[in-house]
Amino acid sequence: MAVLFKRQDPYITRGIDGRFKVDKNGSKVFRTAEDEYNEQVVKDFIEKRMGVSLFEVGDKFCKIDWQVRKNNKVVGFVESKVKQIGEHQFNDYFLSQSKLNALLDASFIWRVPSVFVWGLVDPLNKNDAIRSLRVDTFDFSKVVLEIDGTRRRVKSKYDQELIYKIPVSLTNKLC
């Protein structure tokens, strides 16, 4: 597979050297033009590959990115993250418990599937990947739940949360 995503400095670097904006609520925002482009790549890929339309859910603090519709009917929900790592750079990917809970809540309320999608930007500019996990049918008792987050200060020294470590082998390769 060819290069899909735009490269950028790691998130931690953007935090350390002060490349952030302050939004109207006084929060630091580390979102770059590359972040927006890469998120659009994932959205476009899903829409084309699955023949659906993705619509934004809520505001910037919403835990779910998109509502999935087909023929004007809600058929699912998607949360995505694009990471500046190669597909096989780590043995497992992480999914925060708060994002999982939001996806499971949406699945239960709407009675539709929910999917977490990782966009992986190969740091060597060779092969990007998009992987997914259908969270509403996955057995989370088989994976590790631990406290993790940034190892250095980005937004706050408290930027730690409960995360599930999902082995790469348990995810589906979309491309």
Side-chain angles (χ1 to χ4, degrees):
M1 186 175 99
V3 173
L4 289 175
F5 300 111
K6 287 188 177 177
R7 271 67 190 151
Q8 60 188 349
D9 288 335
Y11 183 78
I12 189 70
T13 306
R14 287 183 263 158
I16 291 171
D17 70 7
R19 282 183 286 155
F20 60 85
K21 298 175 187 172
V22 177
D23 70 7
K24 65 182 179 184
N25 300 316
S27 297
K28 293 178 182 177
V29 179
F30 296 88
R31 191 167 180 80
T32 64
E34 288 85 0
D35 289 325
E36 291 173 11
Y37 172 88
N38 289 339
E39 188 173 275
Q40 188 65 44
V41 167
V42 173
K43 180 180 185 286
D44 292 346
F45 179 85
I46 292 170
E47 286 180 329
K48 183 177 178 183
R49 176 97 179 244
M50 301 180 91
V52 297
S53 298
L54 301 181
F55 295 89
E56 285 188 18
V57 176
D59 61 18
K60 76 172 190 170
F61 296 109
C62 188
K63 298 282 184 187
I64 300 173
D65 289 330
W66 300 300
Q67 183 183 73
V68 183
R69 295 185 201 164
K70 188 166 193 156
N71 300 323
N72 290 321
K73 181 180 177 188
V74 176
V75 296
F77 289 90
V78 172
E79 168 60 19
S80 73
K81 288 290 172 211
V82 177
K83 294 294 192 185
Q84 302 287 325
I85 60 173
E87 182 180 12
H88 300 290
Q89 190 173 346
F90 294 99
N91 293 327
D92 45 40
Y93 306 140
F94 75 88
L95 168 60
S96 72
Q97 187 178 46
S98 63
K99 294 225 182 260
L100 171 63
N101 290 342
L103 287 166
L104 291 176
D105 285 348
S107 280
F108 178 77
I109 292 166
W110 288 82
R111 291 178 170 42
V112 295
S114 281
V115 178
F116 195 88
V117 176
W118 291 270
L120 303 164
V121 183
D122 191 323
L124 300 177
N125 291 340
K126 295 196 178 189
N127 295 300
D128 294 337
I130 299 176
R131 299 193 71 93
S132 71
L133 179 72
R134 184 169 164 186
V135 299
D136 59 305
T137 58
F138 185 75
D139 181 0
F140 281 87
S141 69
K142 295 180 179 178
V143 296
V144 175
L145 177 65
E146 62 183 51
I147 295 176
D148 204 349
T150 58
R151 293 191 175 44
R152 293 176 260 167
R153 187 171 180 200
V154 178
K155 295 180 190 174
S156 140
K157 64 182 178 180
Y158 306 108
D159 195 12
Q160 301 275 306
E161 61 183 324
L162 286 169
I163 62 155
Y164 286 96
K165 289 197 169 179
I166 313 290
V168 173
S169 61
L170 298 179
T171 64
N172 298 308
K173 186 165 184 158
L174 298 179
C175 76

